[in-house]
Amino acid sequence: MTQMDSAITSDISYAEWGVAFFADAVSVERVLAGVNVLSGQVIDVGPMGVGPGRIVKVVASGQIGVAVGRRVSDVPACFEVALPVALEFAIDLGMDKHRFLADITVPLILTARARADLAIVLDVAPPRADQVVVDLKAQGLRASITKYAADVEGELRRFVAKYVARELDKDYVRAARMIDVSSAIDKAMTSLGPRTRETPGSP
């Protein structure tokens, strides 16, 4: 038996096993899977008023991209996740329209919580508008000037922060952010049960 084999087969305490299991169960990949149920979801914005008097109107459309992230601590198990959103939109000045592209990043903090029923829940802190990063690309000089006058970036931050927070709180996303350990074990044990013996001559 090699040294590695010995390490794998050696006994550890219940507490050590629990810590190791929790760390393995709550991987970066599983955390991202719980967020990426939103990937590809279409976002429609507006028309919404921006700027002084809310006279200028903005209409936008786009979709949520694929999140990336990393583990930042083990106890508690905490992860930083960046959720990208791509939007294409137009500012309607009444007599003129200007078009923009926006690459938006929504930062999320997810923390794994252990429940008494052997479920692991990934809690997510709702993003704040001031945390949302907007990279706005205007098409033309006049459009570049317009974006500052109309405070488009600020409105987009507020809208996207509220939108993502609302989506993360929906039932199907909550379900994706839970690892039901007990049910997974029951399912695995069922698959190990006795199988029906095939009769002779059956295909």
Side-chain angles (χ1 to χ4, degrees), residues 113-121 178-185:
R113 170 169 53 89
R115 284 197 330 206
D117 61 353
L118 299 185
I120 300 173
V121 179
M178 184 182 72
I179 304 171
D180 192 338
V181 178
S182 182
S183 294
I185 293 174

Side-chain angles (χ1 to χ4, degrees), residues 102-118:
D103 292 324
I104 302 172
T105 302
V106 183
L108 303 172
I109 299 294
L110 285 88
T111 305
R113 170 169 53 89
R115 284 197 330 206
D117 61 353
L118 299 185

Side-chain angles (χ1 to χ4, degrees), residues 57-168:
K57 303 298 180 183
V58 173
V59 178
S61 63
Q63 68 178 19
I64 297 175
V66 178
V68 296
R70 65 188 183 96
R71 183 190 294 266
V72 293
S73 69
D74 293 324
V75 183
C78 187
F79 302 81
E80 288 182 349
V81 173
L83 182 66
V85 178
L87 289 178
E88 182 174 347
F89 62 97
I91 296 179
D92 189 349
L93 302 177
M95 298 182 63
D96 198 5
K97 285 187 178 181
H98 297 284
R99 300 191 179 278
F100 300 82
L101 298 175
D103 292 324
I104 302 172
T105 302
V106 183
L108 303 172
I109 299 294
L110 285 88
T111 305
R113 170 169 53 89
R115 284 197 330 206
D117 61 353
L118 299 185
I120 300 173
V121 179
L122 297 171
D123 291 330
V124 56
R128 301 194 315 268
D130 62 346
Q131 296 174 319
V132 176
V133 178
V134 178
D135 181 13
L136 201 60
K137 298 179 178 66
Q139 298 179 359
L141 179 60
R142 289 184 60 196
S144 181
I145 296 173
T146 301
K147 74 175 183 180
Y148 297 106
D151 190 25
V152 176
E153 293 187 26
E155 293 294 340
L156 286 178
R157 288 190 184 95
R158 287 186 282 274
F159 173 85
V160 171
K162 289 180 180 179
Y163 181 90
V164 170
R166 185 171 63 248
E167 293 301 308
L168 287 170

Side-chain angles (χ1 to χ4, degrees), residues 1-9:
M1 179 180 294
T2 66
Q3 184 175 358
M4 180 176 294
D5 291 335
S6 177
I8 292 175
T9 58

